[in-house]
Amino acid sequence: MGKKKGSKAASPSSDDFLQTLEDFTSKENWDKFFTLRGNDDSFEWYAEWPQLRDSLLPLLQDSSSSSSASSSGSLQILVPGCGNSRLSEHLYDAGFRDITNVDFSKVVISDMLRRNIRTRPELRWRVMDITKMQLADESFDTVLDKGALDALMEPEVGTKLGSQYLSEAKRVLKPGGKFICLTLAESHVLALLFSKLRFGWKMTVHSISQKRSNLKTFMVVAEKENSVLLHDITSSFDLLSIGRNDNQGSGMRDALESENQIRRDCNNGSDLLYSHEDLKLGVKGDLAEFTGGRRIKFTLGGQGSKFNYRAVLLDAQKQIEPFVYHCGVFLVPKTRAHEWLFCSEEGQWQVVESSQAARLIMVFLDSSHSGASMEDIQTDLSPMVTQLAPRNDDEEARIPYMMASDGIKKRDTVHEVTSSLTGKVVVEDVVYESTPSNPEGLSPSSDLAFRRLVFKRTEGLIQSEALLVEDGEILEQSQKEKTKSVSQAKGKGNRKRNQESSGPLMKVSHDYLASSYHTGIISGFTLVSSHLKKAESCGKMVKTVIIGLGAGLLPMFLHGCLPFSDIEAVELDPVMLSVGNDYFGFTQTDRLKVHIADGIKFIRDITNSETPSEETSNTVPKPQSASSNGDSATYTVKGGTCPDILIIDVDSADSSGGLTCPASEFIEETFLLSVKRALPQHGLFVVNLVSRSQSVKDMVVSRMKKVFDHLFALQLEEEDDVNVVLFGLCSETVISESDIPESAVILEGLLKCQRLETKQSIIDATNKLKCWK
C-alpha cells in the first residue's frame, strides 16, 4: 500500500492492476485489486526486502533487547495495512514470530492466511480498519508501516484518515516502542507525521537505497517516551548533500528544517497550535487545575469525533465575582471568526469576562460544519470538552454552550437569480452588528449598509461586498422625475431608497474596499511599482487582466484609482455581468472591458497569437452615455496583447477537494506555464487562494514556486489560515523584502483614491508581504 497514483516505483507489468485503484482509501477498490492479482502474486509498492533488510533488522533486534519487549523476549510487531507484501514473511523467516498483520480487505487477508498457514503458522492475519483498530492499548513493541500512511493521505481526502490512523498507532504502541514508517515523504504526509509525533517522541529519518526506481523511500523511526520532551528530528544521512534536482530529498530536507525550527521555537517559549492529544499528554501542564490567565490554541477532533475544530482554551484572568460556570463552550460561526473580538487575544479575554465562566473553550466553526445542526456539533464536542474541563467539586455541574450570532443586524434580499453555470445567486443588503470605523465622510451615528454577492453553492464565502452610500445627485434627479419608474433608470439595482419614502437613495461605493483580500491584491502591486511609475511617466497604459468578474468591484476600483490602467475582465457566466450592471453599478468604458469567455482559453489564446479566437471575443452591451436616446448599442471586445498584471479571482464549483478558490484548473502546472509565457519579464501574476487544507495550499505553493522565478505571499489576518494572496514574478531580478517600504511609497503616489483611509489600508498591507522564493 501507500504509493501515489502515477509514481514509478511499480513495475510496468503492474500498470493494468494500478488502473483499478482510483481511490487508495476505498476498501472496495482494494478488494478488486487483490482479486485480480491472485494470492500468489505479491505486490511491493516500494522498498523491497533486499533494500530494507540491512536497515530494518538492526532496529528490530535492538527493540528485542530493550525493556519494551515482552518478558518472553518475543518482539510483538504490528503491520497495519499489510496488503499482500512479503515483508511479514521475510521478518518471520528472520526469526520474528510474533507478528500481527491487519488490513481492511477481507480478500487479501484470506489470501495471505492461505498462503502462510502451513509454512508460517504463527503469523496472525486480521480483517480490520487501521483507523479504528480493535486492539488493546500499549500492546505492541513495534508498529511497522510500509506505505499505509501514504495510502490514507490522498490530497482529495485530506488529513482526517491519516490523523485517525496515527492516533491508533500511538495508542497500541508500548512506551519505549517504535513506530517505523516507510514513506515516499510527500510534504503533506510529513507535515502530519511530524506534528502528530511531536511531544514525547525521539525521531530519526533514514534513506533507503532503491534499485530500478526513480523514487526514494524514507524510513522514519519514532520511539515513544514516557515524557513530554520535545526533541529535534535527526537524520542518518547528510541533508546538505541532497542535490537541487532531487525533489524528494529536498522536500524532506525542507520539512525537517521547518519542523525542527518549530520545535526549537517551542522550547524557547514560543506558542504552538497544539492538538488535543498533546494537551492530554500534559504538554501545557495539568488541565484539571485552573490556572488564571492561561491561554492555549489547539485543535480538537480525530478518533471518535465527526468533525475537526480549531479552538482556544482560556482560564479567566481575574475573578471579580464568583464564576457562574466552572467551564463553558463558546461557538464562533465562520462568518465572524476573523472579527477582532474573536481572533485577537485581547478580544477573546473580553469574551471570557462576559461569559462568567472560569474556563472558556472558544471553538471556531468553518465550512466543514455548514451541514451540521448545533445539536450535532454539541453532541460531537461534548466528550472532548468534558476532558478539558477543570476539576470541580460539583459533579453534576453543567457545561453551557454559548454562540455568537452571525453578526448581521439586518438583512434584505435584493435579488435572486439562478444561473445554469453558477447555480443560485443572491444579492443582499446587510447591516452588521459591529463594523470597523466609519469610512471617511460618513456619519458616525449611521448604520453602515453593505451589498453582498453570495453563491448558494458556497454560502459561507462572500463573493463580492461593497459599501452603500447616499447618492445626492440621484436624489436630486429623482425629485425632478418622480413619474419615472426606478426600474427604467440606468443602474436600477445599484441604488435603493431607505425605509422611509423620503429618505436618501443609496448607491454602491466604488472607492471603498470592503473585502480585505482586494486590499491585499492591490498592495501586491508594490512588487512592480517601479514599472507602474515608469509607465505613468511615459504616458503608457498598464494592461491588467482579471479572470473572474464577480460583481465587478475590483475592476471598478482599479479603474478609478489607477487612471493609467487598461483593464480587461474575463467572466465565464454572463449572469455575473448582468448582476454587476444592475445591482453593483458596474459600467464599461474604453479602459474597462469584459470578455464573456473561458479564462483558461483566454490566456492560452494570448500565448498563441495576438488576436483571440472567435470563442474568446464576445459582443457585450456598451454603456449608454448621458445623451443616449436609449437605443441599444453593442461593440466587440478585442484583446490578446500580453497583460502586465494577471489576477485570478474565481471560486471553485466543487470545493470538496479542499480548494475553495481558485478552481483547480487555474493552478495546474500547464496553465501556470501558459501564464508565464503570456506575461512579460516585468509581469505580475496574482492568485487569491482560499483553502483550509494545508496539503492543498502546500501543493499550490509548490507548483507556483516551480514555475515562477520569485513568489511572494500576503496573509492579511494573522489568525486567518484560510485565505492567502500569492504573487508570482517572472523576472530573475526582483525587489527584496527590505525594498518593499520604498516601493510602497511609489505605489502610494500612484494611487488616486478618493478615500484616504482606503489608500492607507493598502499601504499598511504591504508590510505583510513575505518572500517565499
Side-chain angles (χ1 to χ4, degrees):
M1 289 180 68
K3 190 188 74 62
K4 295 298 167 195
K5 295 186 281 286
S7 67
K8 300 178 181 178
S11 62
S13 61
S14 306
D15 288 349
D16 293 340
F17 294 107
L18 291 177
Q19 297 305 314
T20 67
L21 284 171
E22 295 298 325
D23 178 4
F24 282 92
T25 66
S26 167
K27 174 184 175 297
E28 291 72 21
N29 283 349
W30 280 109
D31 282 343
K32 181 180 178 182
F33 175 83
F34 289 124
T35 299
L36 288 173
R37 284 199 73 85
N39 64 338
D40 291 322
D41 190 6
S42 293
F43 190 75
E44 304 293 344
W45 290 99
Y46 40 77
E48 297 191 30
W49 181 248
Q51 289 78 51
L52 271 180
R53 179 176 48 213
D54 293 342
S55 299
L56 184 58
L57 288 181
L59 285 171
L60 298 177
Q61 289 160 355
D62 178 61
S63 296
S64 295
S65 61
S66 71
S67 59
S68 69
S70 64
S71 57
S72 64
S74 176
L75 190 72
Q76 294 177 296
I77 301 173
L78 173 67
V79 182
C82 60
N84 64 0
S85 167
R86 293 194 180 274
L87 177 60
S88 296
E89 298 169 354
H90 289 304
L91 290 174
Y92 187 95
D93 296 343
F96 298 95
R97 301 303 171 91
D98 201 344
I99 303 175
T100 300
N101 303 274
V102 301
D103 200 291
F104 65 0
S105 171
K106 186 176 180 180
V107 172
V108 77
I109 291 295
S110 298
D111 287 347
M112 295 301 284
L113 181 61
R114 283 193 295 269
R115 192 166 89 187
N116 289 283
I117 189 66
R118 294 181 183 277
T119 55
R120 302 176 183 88
E122 295 173 68
L123 281 179
R124 289 183 293 277
W125 305 91
R126 297 185 62 178
V127 178
M128 195 177 296
D129 182 345
I130 63 174
T131 68
K132 294 176 286 189
M133 292 188 279
Q134 294 83 48
L135 298 170
D137 294 355
E138 300 183 358
S139 52
F140 291 92
D141 302 294
T142 300
V143 175
L144 179 53
D145 175 330
K146 187 169 183 282
L149 179 61
D150 284 4
L152 291 175
M153 291 288 287
E154 291 282 358
E156 297 82 2
V157 176
T159 62
K160 184 175 182 179
L161 293 177
S163 180
Q164 289 177 344
Y165 160 59
L166 286 176
S167 295
E168 283 290 88
K170 291 163 67 175
R171 180 183 65 81
V172 302
L173 196 61
K174 298 176 183 178
K178 291 186 176 74
F179 177 67
I180 302 175
C181 181
L182 294 158
T183 174
L184 293 180
E186 292 181 285
S187 61
H188 61 290
V189 176
L190 294 179
L192 179 68
L193 179 59
F194 290 168
S195 63
K196 289 283 284 188
L197 305 184
R198 186 172 278 161
F199 293 96
W201 295 82
K202 283 185 178 178
M203 190 178 292
T204 303
V205 178
H206 307 270
S207 179
I208 305 298
S209 61
Q210 287 282 93
K211 295 181 179 178
R212 298 176 301 159
S213 174
N214 295 324
L215 292 174
K216 279 187 172 66
T217 300
F218 292 92
M219 181 166 65
V220 179
V221 182
E223 183 177 345
K224 185 177 182 180
E225 295 184 318
N226 268 322
S227 73
V228 292
L229 293 177
L230 199 56
H231 304 281
D232 269 14
I233 303 173
T234 60
S235 63
S236 63
F237 55 96
D238 184 6
L239 293 174
L240 297 176
S241 66
I242 297 173
R244 281 190 172 185
N245 296 326
D246 182 355
N247 291 331
Q248 270 189 295
S250 59
M252 171 61 81
R253 179 185 59 209
D254 292 347
L256 282 173
E257 290 175 351
S258 176
E259 176 63 22
N260 280 334
Q261 188 59 53
I262 290 173
R263 296 179 180 220
R264 291 172 197 139
D265 290 345
C266 184
N267 282 331
N268 290 330
S270 298
D271 205 1
L272 275 182
L273 181 65
Y274 299 93
S275 70
H276 186 198
E277 290 177 328
D278 295 336
L279 298 185
K280 288 193 291 185
L281 285 173
V283 298
K284 297 298 287 184
D286 185 3
L287 293 186
E289 297 296 329
F290 172 83
T291 305
R294 175 162 53 185
R295 177 177 178 268
I296 306 170
K297 296 186 292 184
F298 66 106
T299 57
L300 272 170
Q303 198 65 29
S305 65
K306 187 175 181 181
F307 301 106
N308 292 315
Y309 309 86
R310 185 168 58 90
V312 181
L313 182 149
L314 303 115
D315 282 350
Q317 292 175 307
K318 54 187 176 180
Q319 182 176 358
I320 301 175
E321 300 176 358
F323 294 117
V324 176
Y325 310 107
H326 79 294
C327 185
V329 179
F330 194 93
L331 303 176
V332 182
K334 180 180 184 296
T335 53
R336 302 196 65 185
H338 307 306
E339 291 183 20
W340 174 88
L341 187 63
F342 305 115
C343 73
S344 71
E345 183 173 349
E346 185 179 353
Q348 289 170 0
W349 287 123
Q350 289 187 16
V351 177
V352 174
E353 189 173 342
S354 64
S355 72
Q356 298 182 295
R359 174 173 294 171
L360 188 68
I361 300 170
M362 190 175 288
V363 178
F364 296 86
L365 305 181
D366 57 42
S367 54
S368 68
H369 309 117
S370 58
S373 67
M374 285 303 103
E375 184 179 356
D376 292 336
I377 297 292
Q378 184 171 340
T379 300
D380 193 45
L381 282 171
S382 288
M384 295 180 285
V385 167
T386 302
Q387 297 172 5
L388 294 167
R391 190 177 292 111
N392 186 46
D393 294 334
D394 183 1
E395 295 182 359
E396 296 184 0
R398 70 186 187 92
I399 299 177
Y401 282 74
M402 300 163 262
M403 185 173 183
S405 68
D406 62 3
I408 295 178
K409 182 178 178 181
K410 180 183 176 184
R411 186 198 310 265
D412 293 323
T413 299
V414 176
H415 178 66
E416 289 187 0
V417 63
T418 300
S419 162
S420 59
L421 294 175
T422 309
K424 192 172 184 180
V425 176
V426 177
V427 179
E428 59 184 15
D429 289 345
V430 301
V431 175
Y432 293 107
E433 290 177 351
S434 62
T435 56
S437 57
N438 280 50
E440 186 180 343
L442 297 184
S443 169
S445 61
S446 62
D447 282 334
L448 297 183
F450 294 84
R451 177 157 294 177
R452 311 196 311 185
L453 176 66
V454 178
F455 297 164
K456 283 295 182 180
R457 71 187 185 195
T458 50
E459 218 167 345
L461 184 69
I462 300 170
Q463 301 292 331
S464 298
E465 184 171 26
L467 176 69
L468 290 172
V469 296
E470 294 182 10
D471 186 355
E473 293 180 1
I474 297 302
L475 174 60
E476 181 179 350
Q477 181 183 350
S478 65
Q479 297 286 349
K480 295 178 180 179
E481 302 179 13
K482 291 182 180 179
T483 57
K484 290 190 176 181
S485 168
V486 174
S487 62
Q488 294 175 328
K490 186 182 80 172
K492 58 186 178 183
N494 179 40
R495 302 176 175 87
K496 71 165 189 176
R497 189 177 294 280
N498 278 0
Q499 285 184 329
E500 298 179 9
S501 59
S502 58
L505 287 173
M506 308 296 286
K507 70 171 184 177
V508 163
S509 171
H510 292 123
D511 54 9
Y512 178 82
L513 293 173
S515 297
S516 59
Y517 82 91
H518 280 169
T519 302
I521 287 173
I522 299 169
S523 71
F525 287 16
T526 295
L527 301 171
V528 292
S529 61
S530 295
H531 170 73
L532 299 181
K533 178 64 177 176
K534 183 178 179 181
E536 186 207 36
S537 302
C538 297
K540 294 182 179 180
M541 302 298 287
V542 173
K543 181 172 180 179
T544 300
V545 172
I546 304 173
I547 308 296
L549 177 67
L553 299 176
L554 179 59
M556 286 293 286
F557 182 86
L558 291 174
H559 179 268
C561 76
L562 292 174
F564 55 93
S565 60
D566 183 4
I567 304 162
E568 297 186 25
V570 183
E571 174 58 53
L572 185 63
D573 191 347
V575 171
M576 291 300 101
L577 179 58
S578 298
V579 168
N581 286 336
D582 294 343
Y583 297 95
F584 289 86
F586 178 78
T587 54
Q588 298 178 69
T589 70
D590 58 346
R591 290 197 298 111
L592 174 53
K593 305 169 186 177
V594 176
H595 301 259
I596 302 300
D598 181 306
I600 291 177
K601 188 176 188 305
F602 183 88
I603 296 303
R604 287 179 177 158
D605 281 346
I606 290 177
T607 64
N608 294 331
S609 68
E610 290 203 353
T611 304
S613 66
E614 292 182 3
E615 291 179 282
T616 303
S617 295
N618 286 267
T619 308
V620 296
K622 181 178 181 179
Q624 298 177 21
S625 65
S627 60
S628 171
N629 59 9
D631 294 336
S632 176
T634 62
Y635 72 100
T636 301
V637 173
K638 296 181 180 179
T641 57
C642 293
D644 299 285
I645 300 172
L646 174 59
I647 301 170
I648 305 296
D649 186 20
V650 295
D651 81 321
S652 173
D654 179 14
S655 59
S656 60
L659 188 62
T660 304
C661 289
S664 59
E665 296 86 349
F666 289 93
I667 45 88
E668 293 291 341
E669 188 174 333
T670 52
F671 176 72
L672 295 178
L673 289 169
S674 294
V675 168
K676 189 173 184 182
R677 286 194 296 269
L679 289 172
Q681 276 291 300
H682 61 259
L684 177 65
F685 178 53
V686 186
V687 176
N688 178 37
L689 175 61
V690 182
S691 174
R692 195 166 288 278
S693 168
Q694 188 59 48
S695 62
V696 169
K697 287 187 284 190
D698 288 345
M699 176 267 292
V700 175
V701 169
S702 176
R703 289 179 182 176
M704 287 192 66
K705 281 183 176 180
K706 186 175 181 181
V707 172
F708 293 93
D709 295 277
H710 297 280
L711 183 67
F712 283 75
L714 189 146
Q715 191 165 299
L716 285 170
E717 303 296 337
E718 187 176 335
E719 298 290 334
D720 183 358
D721 59 351
V722 178
N723 198 171
V724 61
V725 183
L726 300 175
F727 303 92
L729 293 108
C730 304
S731 175
E732 293 183 3
T733 58
V734 70
I735 65 172
S736 63
E737 284 187 23
S738 60
D739 298 324
I740 287 177
E742 183 179 345
S743 299
V745 172
I746 298 175
L747 179 64
E748 185 176 10
L750 295 172
L751 293 171
K752 310 303 180 187
C753 302
Q754 296 182 35
R755 299 181 186 275
L756 294 180
E757 82 277 10
T758 299
K759 179 189 287 190
Q760 191 59 50
S761 68
I762 294 171
I763 301 306
D764 288 345
T766 63
N767 296 324
K768 299 178 182 179
L769 281 166
K770 301 297 179 185
C771 182
W772 283 4
K773 180 188 176 184

